[in-house]
Amino acid sequence: MIVRQFISWVRTAPAGERAEATRALARAWLVSDLSEEDRVAAEGALLMLLDDPSPLVRQAMAEVFARSTEAPGAIVQALSLDQPSVALPVLEHSPLLIDADLVDLIATGNGEVQCAIARRVNLPPSVCAAIAEVGTAAAALELIENAYAELAPFSWDRIVERHGHLAAIRESMLELEDLPATTRLALVAKLSDTLAQFVAARNWLSTDRAGRIASEARERSTVNIAARSLGEDMHELVLHLRATGQLTAGLILRALLSGNLELFDHALAELSGLPPARVSSLLHDRGAASLQALLTRAGLPESTFGAFRVALEVGHETGFVDTFDGAVRLRRRMVERVLTHCETDPQAAEPLLILLRRFATEAAREEARMFCDEVAHDAVVLMQHDLIAA
C-alpha cells in the first residue's frame, strides 16, 4: 500500500524530493523486511524511475545500489548505461557487472566511463587488456595506479606503445617495483625517441647526433635496468634485446665494462645457444682459446675479441662488483686498460676505438661527479659539526 502511494505521489513531486524519496525506497528494497507484494511493487516503482527526466533521481538510485550484491540486476544494468553522472558509481563499484559487460562499456564509453572501470577492485586481465587497447591516457593512468588491477605483460607493453610518450604515464609506471624489465626498457626507448625528436625539431642538434645520444642513453639505461633484474626477468630482458636488435657487441661490452657479469653472461648464452652455467664456466676458465670460441659462437665481431679479453682480465684482477650502484657505471680503470690495449691492437677497428673513447669520457665524467658529490657532502657534514661545536 505504501509503495502504491509513493507511485502516485512521485509523479508530481519536485525533482529534489523525488530523488530523496527514491533513495529511501532503494534502501528499503535492500534492507527492509517488505512483504512479497510490496517488494514486487517497489521494484516496479524503481524500474519506472529509470525513466525519470531528472538525473538526480537516477543518481540517487545508483549511489544506493552501486556496491550491493543484492541490487536488482536489471536496474544495475540500466544505470550502467546511463549518463556518466549516474553511471559512474555503478561502473566503479558494482559487483553485478560481469567482465563482458565491462569490456563492452570500455569499447563504447567515453573517458569518464573508462576511468571509472579502471579504478575497480580486482580488475581481471581481460578488462585491463581492453583499457590498454582502446582506453584514453587518463584511463591508462588510473589502471597503472590501481594496485588491484591484474595486467598481463602484453597490456603493459600496449600502454607504453600507445601512451609512453606522456610523462605522467612514464613516471607512474617507473615507480612500480614489479614492472617487467622489458617494459621499463620500452619506456626508456619511448622517452629517448621523444627527446631526440624534440631537440632535432628545434635544430638544437642534428638528427644523426640526437639519434646517437638517444641510443647511448638507451644502452646506459639497459645496463641500469639489467642490474635490477634477476632470474626469469633477466632472461626475458635479454630475449627482448635480441628480438629488437639491441643485443649488440657495444651493449655487451658496456655491460662487461660496468662489471655487470649477469647481463654479460646471459647475453652470451642467448647468442651462443649455450646454457648460462656453461657460459659462466668458460668465462671463468680464463683461457684465451675458450673465450675466443665462445665469442665466435655468439657471432660477435672478431675485432672486439681483444677488448673482451682485456676487460675480463682486469675484472679478474680487481674483482667484479655485485652491488646495484657498482653494476650500472662504467669502471674507469677497466675502460682505460681496454682502450690502451686496443689502440695498439691491429685487429681493433676504428668504430671500436671511437666507442671506447666515448666510454672513457663517460667514465671520467661520472667519476668526477661522484668525487664532487663526496666533497660537497663532506663540507656539509663539517659545517654541521662546527655549528654543533659552537
Side-chain angles (χ1 to χ4, degrees), residues 109-153:
N110 62 15
E112 287 182 284
V113 168
Q114 293 171 350
C115 286
I117 295 173
R119 292 191 292 268
R120 289 175 66 91
V121 174
N122 299 327
L123 205 59
S126 59
V127 181
C128 293
I131 295 172
E133 186 63 35
V134 301
T136 63
L141 188 59
E142 293 280 8
L143 189 64
I144 294 165
E145 296 177 348
N146 185 348
Y148 303 100
E150 300 177 40
L151 279 84

Side-chain angles (χ1 to χ4, degrees), residues 268-279 282 294 297:
L268 290 182
E270 173 61 25
L271 292 174
S272 67
L274 296 174
R278 176 60 176 157
V279 169
L282 290 171
L294 176 59
R297 179 162 179 161

Side-chain angles (χ1 to χ4, degrees), residues 223 226 234 238 247-249 251-272 276 279-280 282-284 291 294-295 298 300 304 307-309 311-312 316 320:
V223 175
M234 173 66 81
V238 172
L247 198 60
T248 62
L251 175 63
I252 298 171
L253 184 58
R254 175 186 281 275
L256 180 58
L257 292 174
S258 300
N260 194 328
L261 275 184
E262 188 77 8
L263 176 57
F264 180 66
D265 288 3
H266 276 77
L268 290 182
E270 173 61 25
L271 292 174
S272 67
V279 169
S280 182
L282 290 171
L283 292 175
H284 289 291
L291 176 63
L294 176 59
L295 297 176
L300 298 180
T304 64
F308 283 112
R309 177 176 56 78
L312 282 169
H316 288 310
F320 288 102

Side-chain angles (χ1 to χ4, degrees), residues 198-232:
F198 178 81
V199 298
R202 282 155 180 75
N203 294 320
W204 294 347
L205 293 174
S206 68
T207 302
D208 290 343
R209 179 167 172 76
R212 180 173 62 78
I213 292 174
S215 178
E216 291 174 357
R218 280 197 296 269
E219 289 192 353
R220 287 194 296 271
S221 296
T222 298
V223 175
N224 189 311
I225 292 168
R228 302 171 181 268
S229 306
L230 298 172
E232 186 61 25

Side-chain angles (χ1 to χ4, degrees), residues 44-353:
L46 292 169
L47 286 166
M48 177 196 71
L49 289 167
L50 291 172
D51 297 322
D52 193 286
S54 173
L56 293 176
V57 173
R58 305 191 304 279
Q59 187 173 345
M61 208 186 318
E63 290 170 356
V64 174
F65 287 147
R67 299 174 186 269
S68 175
T69 58
E70 304 299 325
I75 292 177
V76 169
Q77 284 286 338
L79 292 171
S80 72
L81 300 173
D82 210 315
Q83 64 189 62
S85 64
V86 175
L88 294 187
V90 172
L91 295 175
E92 185 171 348
H93 301 294
S94 178
L96 301 182
L97 296 176
I98 63 173
D99 296 352
D101 294 330
L102 297 172
V103 170
D104 184 63
L105 287 163
I106 290 166
T108 58
N110 62 15
E112 287 182 284
V113 168
Q114 293 171 350
C115 286
I117 295 173
R119 292 191 292 268
R120 289 175 66 91
V121 174
N122 299 327
L123 205 59
S126 59
V127 181
C128 293
I131 295 172
E133 186 63 35
V134 301
T136 63
L141 188 59
E142 293 280 8
L143 189 64
I144 294 165
E145 296 177 348
N146 185 348
Y148 303 100
E150 300 177 40
L151 279 84
F154 69 85
S155 293
W156 287 117
D157 295 339
R158 188 60 175 142
I159 291 175
V160 174
E161 183 180 345
R162 297 183 63 233
H163 306 298
H165 61 287
L166 300 174
I169 294 288
R170 291 195 304 269
E171 291 169 5
S172 183
M173 291 181 73
L174 290 173
E175 288 178 0
L176 300 174
E177 292 292 334
D178 57 349
L179 189 69
T182 54
T183 304
R184 287 186 183 277
L185 194 61
L187 279 171
V188 168
K190 202 78 170 181
L191 174 59
S192 299
D193 291 342
T194 300
L195 292 177
Q197 292 169 12
F198 178 81
V199 298
R202 282 155 180 75
N203 294 320
W204 294 347
L205 293 174
S206 68
T207 302
D208 290 343
R209 179 167 172 76
R212 180 173 62 78
I213 292 174
S215 178
E216 291 174 357
R218 280 197 296 269
E219 289 192 353
R220 287 194 296 271
S221 296
T222 298
V223 175
N224 189 311
I225 292 168
R228 302 171 181 268
S229 306
L230 298 172
E232 186 61 25
D233 206 25
M234 173 66 81
H235 178 64
E236 292 296 328
L237 174 62
V238 172
L239 287 177
H240 173 80
L241 290 171
R242 187 177 190 184
T244 55
Q246 299 178 69
L247 198 60
T248 62
L251 175 63
I252 298 171
L253 184 58
R254 175 186 281 275
L256 180 58
L257 292 174
S258 300
N260 194 328
L261 275 184
E262 188 77 8
L263 176 57
F264 180 66
D265 288 3
H266 276 77
L268 290 182
E270 173 61 25
L271 292 174
S272 67
L274 296 174
R278 176 60 176 157
V279 169
S280 182
S281 175
L282 290 171
L283 292 175
H284 289 291
D285 180 50
R286 302 196 186 186
S290 297
L291 176 63
Q292 182 168 329
L294 176 59
L295 297 176
T296 300
R297 179 162 179 161
L300 298 180
E302 189 174 349
S303 60
T304 64
F305 288 4
F308 283 112
R309 177 176 56 78
V310 175
L312 282 169
E313 289 175 357
V314 178
H316 288 310
E317 290 173 10
T318 60
F320 288 102
V321 293
D322 57 1
T323 62
F324 171 74
D325 287 341
V328 299
R329 294 190 304 271
L330 288 165
R331 303 174 69 184
R332 187 176 181 183
R333 179 181 174 187
M334 186 182 290
V335 173
E336 290 177 346
R337 281 273 297 274
V338 172
L339 177 58
T340 300
H341 167 80
C342 289
E343 285 176 334
T344 59
D345 183 356
Q347 286 190 320
E350 188 63 27
L352 175 62
L353 293 174

